[in-house]
Amino acid sequence: MRIYNSDGSEPEMCGNGIRCLARFVADIDQTAARAFKIHTLAGLIVPELLSDGQVRVDMGQPILEGPRVPTTLEPTQGSTVVQQELTVGGHTFQFTCVSMGNPHAVTYTVDQQPIKVDAVDLTGLGPLCEKHAVFPARTNTEFVEVLSRSHVRMVVWERGAGRTLACGTGACAVVVAGVLEGKVDRCCQVDLPGGPLHIEWKEEDNKVYMTGPGELVFSGMAHMCARAWHVTVANGAKCPSDYE
Ligand SMILES: N[C@@H](CCC[C@H](N)C(=O)O)C(=O)O
């Protein structure tokens, strides 16, 4: 799977995208397997269709070493950046930095107070975080409110895409960061503006598992460039006119 942000940049992974891809493949080929191994720039990712229609995804192990996230923020726990202070837009945040193949900066506090997501100035702060010099590959930024140890709310400013309704890799990073900060349990519901995701960071294998929906919203046809036709033809179309 390859994916592009709306600014044209190519991220390593997309949690929403991989659930949608699994749902799409299963819907167009009812005989297809119920679990898929999908190569991404973040490595092998394994989504599985559940009997209740949800998609559970083995998202792999989080990357926690600061330079590999990447961030130049000073590590606070071994090589991991946990609750490191950074002032952005006149406010001080405590960022925990996690890579799920793509980089995330997660904060549960603003000016030493717990975040209330409804009060976050996402369009003001998001671009400043995304392009801050301490994030050399830019970053996705998650602002999180704790409802209980097994339930949080988040809003996200995505690298290359801005405000979005949901971010699967972001929800995973939020739970990993929350566990590292001692704020949430390893199994946690994450409410996003687009709906909830269930995240588990398993102690046994150190992998993060994401469960959520993938739903058909619309279907349509598009004329694609010559390069894209190779993909379509390889998938069985006889000629471009099949799609006209
Ligand atoms: N903007 C992200 C890539 C997309 C993430 C996605 N929304 C998700 O669901 O994980 C990036 O540039 O890393």
Side-chain angles (χ1 to χ4, degrees):
M1 180 182 84
R2 294 181 68 182
I3 173 141
Y4 291 89
N5 286 314
S6 51
D7 73 350
S9 60
E10 182 174 13
E12 301 81 352
M13 234 305 271
C14 177
N16 295 332
I18 209 123
R19 294 198 317 278
C20 292
L21 178 58
R23 164 61 54 208
F24 174 72
V25 172
D27 284 355
I28 57 170
D29 181 359
Q30 307 288 331
T31 64
R34 306 297 289 175
F36 309 93
K37 289 182 182 156
I38 301 181
H39 293 274
T40 72
L41 294 181
L44 199 63
I45 306 289
V46 188
E48 180 190 355
L49 288 140
L50 304 179
S51 51
D52 64 0
Q54 296 264 302
V55 185
R56 182 174 189 261
V57 187
D58 169 357
M59 298 282 283
Q61 301 186 348
I63 296 164
L64 301 177
E65 298 83 13
R68 290 184 62 209
V69 171
T71 178
T72 57
L73 280 171
E74 196 64 34
T76 51
Q77 289 184 11
S79 56
T80 305
V81 178
V82 180
Q83 288 183 285
Q84 180 58 275
E85 288 205 346
L86 182 68
T87 300
V88 181
H91 295 283
T92 302
F93 298 94
Q94 292 174 313
F95 280 112
T96 296
C97 298
V98 175
S99 169
M100 292 305 305
N102 58 348
H104 295 270
V106 181
T107 182
Y108 281 78
T109 64
V110 53
D111 299 326
Q112 275 77 46
Q113 296 303 310
I115 280 183
K116 295 282 177 202
V117 288
D118 292 334
V120 173
D121 173 18
L122 197 57
T123 46
L125 292 165
L128 299 176
C129 296
E130 177 186 358
K131 296 176 187 137
H132 198 288
V134 298
F135 303 118
R138 297 191 286 157
T139 192
N140 300 285
T141 310
E142 289 81 20
F143 300 87
V144 198
E145 177 176 341
V146 177
L147 303 177
S148 75
R149 286 194 62 85
S150 57
H151 194 183
V152 298
R153 283 178 79 196
M154 65 170 267
V155 288
V156 59
W157 182 268
E158 286 195 38
R159 176 180 67 165
R163 177 196 288 269
T164 60
L165 293 179
C167 181
T169 51
C172 295
V174 158
V175 173
V176 171
V179 171
L180 293 174
E181 295 186 21
K183 290 188 168 73
V184 305
D185 295 335
R186 283 175 174 267
C187 279
C188 190
Q189 175 174 323
V190 181
D191 290 348
L192 302 108
L197 289 171
H198 293 271
I199 309 296
E200 179 178 12
W201 183 19
K202 265 200 171 169
E203 204 154 12
E204 298 89 307
D205 59 7
N206 189 36
K207 287 182 174 181
V208 184
Y209 294 85
M210 169 186 64
T211 305
E215 289 164 21
L216 181 68
V217 178
F218 66 89
S219 59
M221 297 177 197
H223 290 276
M224 309 296 279
C225 67
R227 192 159 163 246
W229 273 118
H230 290 295
V231 176
T232 309
V233 170
N235 283 341
K238 289 186 181 58
C239 66
S241 61
D242 287 358
Y243 289 87
E244 285 173 354

